[in-house]
Amino acid sequence: MFQSNKMEKGKGRMKTLWVAVGLALTMGLVEAREPGDKPNIIFILLDDLGKEWLSCYGGENINTPNIDKLAESGIQFHNAYSMPQCTPSRACFMTGQYPYRNGWVNHWDAPRWGHAYFDWDESPSIARSMKDAGYATAAAGKWQLNDFRVHPDAMVRHGFDEFCMWTGAEGAKDKEHSRKSTQRYWDPYIHTKTGSKTYEGEFGPDIYNQFVIDFIGENKDQPFFVYYPMALPHGPMVHTPLKPEAKSNLEKHVAMVEYTDHLLGKIVEKLESEKVRNNTIIVWTCDNGTSGQFSNKLNGRLVRGGKATTTENGVNTPFIVSCPGLVPSGEQSQALLDFSDMYPTFIEFAGGQMEEGYTYDGMSQHEVFLGKAEKNNRDWVLGMGSHPAKLTHKGVESAYYFRDRVIRNERYKLFVGADRKPSKVVDLSVDFAEKHNLLESPDHKEICQKLTEVIAKFPEKDNDPDYERLAPVGWEKKSKLPSQIHKIGHPDNPEGMKSVNKKKTQKKEKPKKK
Ligand SMILES: [Ca+2]
């Protein structure tokens, strides 16, 4: 059942053809730019923030007027899924593939640990497809999927014309370099076309934001696509230019969330002043739930940060779509969508093509974004993946043979174990804590069966990250872990299976301790 990410291997894509198609489309577009005629798209992705910190979703003790205004101006979604952690979410967005297919099931800091990286030759790219559809493309903020010392042109290869990225913490024998490159906020270490360097005395988020603002100004007369994975509000907790007095971690966290709001305000202001706001789709969302160290009240209930978990506080992400010329305003949507949907959705708006030779998991939400379809084409959405991958003597591999995951519809949610069996079904309309298991309930036989049938659609084994092996660079992590057999749930590894069962038992016992 093992399926490669790519149906046909080989480096030679039909690049020439796509470029030709892109050019032809661009040439047909030189005239007026009406709303809907290749709208600009800005995908803003916050790092580690759940709904409990946004007043438009019912979060308390937080002031986010620009985000609230964005929600009022468009559609606010309630059933949108990200993945539980950075790498799985970001790779899913970039490829339109679920983690078990693109191989990025676990988290991997490419610049810090070396070895695996997001290989442009082994994966499709939303940015490359947007570029081929005639869009000017840019990325700003956090990337972390490549080491820019090894591949300074990685962003270009992934399809971004312009970029301004925090490098990600770079592992190095020189500890001073590691320290410098870790900085994403004050004195940030940023990679652009002119190379990587520290911007002393500056606040990184201002630099990434100004870059996006400049890019909008320079490209306002043609369709543009911006992938803006903000560095904020992920740790380390810092004071911001607007709240220099923030002292405690909580005060800093609040200041950082409010700073994302301030930065969004500046982006919208720029779009308005350039008169492209009506033709620019802003998708505003987050890559995973808040860090577990922070809790906040959401509609009267205390919610703990759910980063790296598959409960709703980890994966049911805030998701707002706004474009005054195209998208209806003031709407609340229960439509199901997840991060794999962005690639086909944006490509449909762009009138482009997804890259050939790959299997995709996403479904276009074009009609849902336009407010033309309340109920969309999805029966379920999926959330899975977190914690570091494993480094073996053959390279970086997924830690599980089959990673546990969740799927949900508008009301019910199924937890699937690493043994590929259903472990829990909950009714989200009444069970906020996701604790009451309906799997054996005679009244819920039908829904349990319907959700359980989805498991058969998943490949038996999750893929591993697919990348061409690099020559040693000197700072990479070392490991002699055996390949494949180390995996939790590997059929030839009874110890691995034991740990699946042990984990299950521990989970079941947990509530009793309290
Ligand atoms: Ca994250």
Side-chain angles (χ1 to χ4, degrees), residues 406-426:
V406 292
I407 51 175
R408 69 162 286 180
N409 64 20
E410 288 87 347
R411 180 169 173 185
Y412 294 98
K413 175 171 176 179
L414 167 72
F415 290 75
V416 184
D419 55 3
R420 218 185 150 82
K421 291 184 182 137
S423 64
K424 186 163 64 170
V425 170
V426 295

Side-chain angles (χ1 to χ4, degrees), residues 5 9 14 17 23 80 85 94 112 137 147 151 160 181 200 206 222 235 285 295 321 366 447 472 474 486:
N5 167 27
K9 284 261 174 186
M14 297 173 71
L17 174 66
L23 272 176
Q85 206 175 349
M94 284 299 297
R112 191 201 300 260
T137 56
D147 186 334
H151 297 119
F160 296 102
S181 62
E200 279 196 32
D206 285 335
Q222 60 175 315
T285 185
S295 298
V321 178
H366 182 263
I447 183 65
H486 68 84

